[in-house]
């Protein structure tokens, strides 16, 4: 219904099937951070498809192999699913992912 009424702009990156789960709204700067499978997106709130910035952050290959050896599904479980996007200060966001069952965290400079 939203698409038919032209009430929304769909994010074209969603065609990649990246399992979007985590959102962080930055109203002050007009941005939306989106955590997904192996990716973090920085979107413009006015047009989510304009000037999209994307960080590719996969799990380490050896962690993915360990995950598969443990009997987990390589496509739906053995990846770095971004689960935490938390403001740290005015210039950085704290980010954590599952790391194929070996969690890892870091900081993103928003610059």
């Amino acid at each position: 219904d939203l698409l038919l009424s032209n009430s929304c702009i769909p994010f074209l990156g969603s065609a990649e099937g990246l399992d979007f789960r985590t959102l962080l709204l930055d109203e002050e700067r007009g941005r939306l951070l989106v955590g997904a499978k192996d990716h973090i997106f920085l979107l413009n709130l006015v047009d989510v498809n304009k000037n999209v910035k994307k960080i590719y952050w996969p799990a380490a290959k050896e962690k993915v192999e360990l995950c598969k050896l443990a009997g987990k599904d390589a496509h739906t479980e053995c990846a770095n699913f971004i689960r935490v996007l938390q403001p740290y200060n005015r210039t950085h966001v704290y980010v954590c992912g599952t790391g194929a069952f070996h969690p890892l965290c870091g900081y993103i400079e928003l610059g």
Side-chain angles (χ1 to χ4, degrees):
D1 287 343
L2 287 173
L3 287 173
L4 293 174
S5 68
N6 289 323
S7 303
C8 70
I9 300 171
F11 174 46
L12 300 176
S14 63
E16 297 175 39
L18 296 173
D19 192 21
F20 300 101
R21 296 261 176 131
T22 310
L23 304 172
L24 176 61
L25 180 62
D26 183 354
E27 286 184 280
E28 186 177 309
R29 293 181 185 95
R31 301 186 292 205
L32 178 67
L33 276 86
V34 180
K37 177 184 176 186
D38 294 330
H39 292 82
I40 301 162
F41 293 90
L42 182 61
L43 309 177
N44 180 315
L45 287 178
V46 175
D47 183 347
V48 294
N49 296 301
K50 183 180 177 185
N51 298 326
V52 174
K53 293 182 176 34
K54 177 169 60 170
I55 297 171
Y56 179 58
W57 191 24
K61 287 182 172 48
E62 60 272 7
K63 302 301 183 193
V64 172
E65 290 306 315
L66 285 172
C67 180
K68 292 192 288 188
L69 286 173
K72 306 290 183 184
D73 184 274
H75 301 290
T76 61
E77 297 176 295
C78 298
N80 188 28
F81 295 94
I82 307 304
R83 295 290 186 251
V84 174
L85 290 168
Q86 178 66 36
Y88 180 71
N89 58 28
R90 293 191 51 76
T91 60
H92 290 79
V93 172
Y94 185 64
V95 182
C96 295
T98 60
F101 291 92
H102 292 87
L104 61 157
C105 296
Y107 295 92
I108 296 174
E109 184 176 354
L110 297 175

